[in-house]
Amino acid sequence: MTVMTTPRPDIGVGDLLVEVTRMRMLCDGICEFTFAGADGGALPTFSPGAHIGVQWQPGRCNSYSLTGPAVDPAEYTICVRRDDSGGGGSVWLHGLGVGDQVVISLPRSAFVPISTARHHLLIAGGIGVTPILSHVRAAVHWNRSFEVIYTHRPGFGALAREMRDLCGDRLTVVEAALDFWDHLGPRLCDSPLGTHIYTCGPGPLIEGVAAAALANGWPPDRVHSEQFAADVAAGGEPFAARLGRTGVLVPVGSEVSLLAALLERGVAVPNMCRQGVCGECRVAVRGGPIDHRDSYLTDDERAKGDTMMPCVSRALGDHLELDL
Ligand code: FES
C-alpha cells in the first residue's frame, strides 16, 4: 500500500512552521487566520505592531500584522484582504484550509509604541487597523492613555467589534472620508503635549495625517506610521548594478526591480513585502545616485545615499555600486 503524505514545507533559519487552526471571514474579502505552532509548542512573544512574513512560494513572502495578544501567545492571528490583482500571496492564503501548514518568519516590528509617550493617538485606515489593534491591546494592558480614530468604508470595518470592546468611548469610527479630517483636526490641536501619533493605512492617509500634524507644529519624532500597501512601481529606466565585493555586473531591465535582478543572479537578499515598506531587503550602497521609492527609510537616511531598498528603489543614472 502506498501512503500519500503532504510534503512538509522547507523551513529556513528564523522561520517557524505553523498550522492553520481557524479561518473566519470578517467582511467581504477579508479573512482572519489563526495559527498555532505545528509542533504544539509555544510561539514567541512579540512587540505591539509587529508583523510576520507568510511564505506562499519558496522565496516569496507577504507581510501581515499580528492582531492578537503579544505576550506568551498560544496562537498568532492575522487578517488578510484578498487582492486578486496583487502578486498572488493573498489569494493563496484565502485558498488555505484548517489543518494546512504554513512557514512564517519570526515576528518583527518597525512600528512599536513609544513607552514614554504621554498619550497615544492611533489612526487606522481600512485594513491598516491590524497593527493598531495590537497597539490598543498593549495600551489597555499597560493602562496607557490612548484614543483611536478608525476610518473605513461602510461594511468594511473588519475589526470594529474587537476595537469597540477594547476601546469603549476612546474609539471614534468614521465611515466618510471628509468626516475623518473633521475629527482629526481638533485632536491635532488639543492633544496633550507629549502625545505620539501612529497611523497605519493607505499611503495618502499616512501622508495626509503626517502633513497635518507637522503643519500643526508636531515634532517629526512624534509622528509614526506604517504603510499597509504601497502603490509603488518598481520598474523604470534600465541600469547596471555592480556588486562591489566581486565586481560582478548585474543588468536591471526596465520591467524588473533591482531586487528581482539580484535574486535572479543568485544573490541572496532577504526580502518580505517587496513594496518598500518592511525594511527587510535593505542593502548598503557604495556609489551612484539612488532613486528612493520606498516608505521605510528616513529623510536623513536617504540623504546620506549609502543605503537603499532594492525591491522598489533604483538607480537615478545608469549604474549603482552595491556593498554585496
Ligand atoms: S522587501 Fe520590504 S522593503 Fe524591500
Side-chain angles (χ1 to χ4, degrees):
M1 184 175 74
T2 304
V3 178
M4 300 294 290
T5 54
T6 307
R8 196 177 167 92
D10 289 337
I11 309 168
V13 177
D15 289 338
L16 297 170
L17 184 65
V18 295
E19 185 171 308
V20 180
T21 55
R22 208 163 47 244
M23 291 173 63
R24 179 170 72 111
M25 289 307 291
L26 300 177
C27 59
D28 189 18
I30 300 181
C31 185
E32 180 187 77
F33 294 79
T34 302
F35 302 126
D39 59 1
L43 294 169
T45 293
F46 56 89
S47 308
H51 58 260
I52 54 170
V54 177
Q55 191 184 111
W56 57 277
Q57 263 182 19
R60 299 206 64 181
C61 267
N62 279 21
S63 163
Y64 297 100
S65 298
L66 292 166
T67 59
V71 179
D72 291 334
E75 53 191 28
Y76 285 163
T77 306
I78 61 171
C79 298
V80 180
R81 183 183 57 194
R82 182 181 169 120
D83 180 0
D84 290 305
S85 58
S90 68
V91 173
W92 181 86
L93 267 153
H94 274 242
L96 290 176
V98 170
D100 283 340
Q101 294 192 332
V102 180
V103 176
I104 64 171
S105 70
L106 288 169
R108 295 166 207 164
S109 185
F111 190 54
V112 290
I114 306 301
S115 59
T116 53
R118 187 165 162 205
H119 182 68
H120 302 260
L121 176 54
L122 302 163
I123 312 290
I127 192 68
V129 68
T130 50
I132 298 296
L133 175 56
S134 177
H135 277 231
V136 166
R137 287 190 197 282
V140 169
H141 180 80
W142 296 107
N143 201 20
R144 292 181 180 141
S145 171
F146 77 97
E147 64 186 285
V148 181
I149 304 178
Y150 178 16
T151 176
H152 59 77
R153 286 187 291 143
F156 286 86
L159 294 171
R161 184 179 56 76
E162 286 83 349
M163 294 294 275
R164 260 195 314 273
D165 290 349
L166 282 164
C167 301
D169 61 8
R170 291 175 287 195
L171 173 68
T172 302
V173 175
V174 185
E175 295 189 336
L178 285 179
D179 290 352
F180 170 76
W181 300 105
D182 289 345
H183 280 91
L184 179 67
R187 306 308 298 125
L188 292 178
C189 298
D190 62 17
S191 289
L193 270 182
T195 298
H196 284 242
I197 187 168
Y198 309 79
T199 311
C200 185
L205 177 79
I206 289 173
E207 287 152 22
V209 170
L214 298 180
N216 277 276
W218 285 56
D221 63 355
R222 295 202 184 143
V223 180
H224 314 274
S225 65
E226 180 162 86
Q227 190 158 330
F228 199 80
D231 185 16
V232 182
E237 292 298 315
F239 64 99
R242 178 181 294 281
L243 308 184
R245 297 180 204 168
T246 58
V248 168
L249 210 57
V250 179
V252 184
S254 58
E255 298 298 321
V256 298
S257 68
L258 171 55
L259 174 67
L262 291 169
L263 294 175
E264 177 71 31
R265 192 59 180 252
V267 183
V269 180
N271 64 89
M272 189 180 294
C273 69
R274 300 188 180 211
Q275 294 175 312
V277 174
C278 73
E280 194 71 15
C281 67
R282 183 174 185 151
V283 296
V285 177
R286 291 187 179 180
I290 306 164
D291 177 9
H292 290 289
R293 301 179 180 184
D294 64 281
S295 47
Y296 181 82
L297 295 175
T298 64
D299 289 345
D300 286 348
E301 288 171 327
R302 289 169 185 226
K304 279 187 193 156
D306 59 2
T307 188
M308 70 184 294
M309 317 309 297
C311 61
V312 291
S313 299
R314 304 177 65 85
L316 255 188
D318 59 7
H319 75 282
L320 277 176
E321 181 164 334
L322 306 176
D323 190 13
L324 288 172

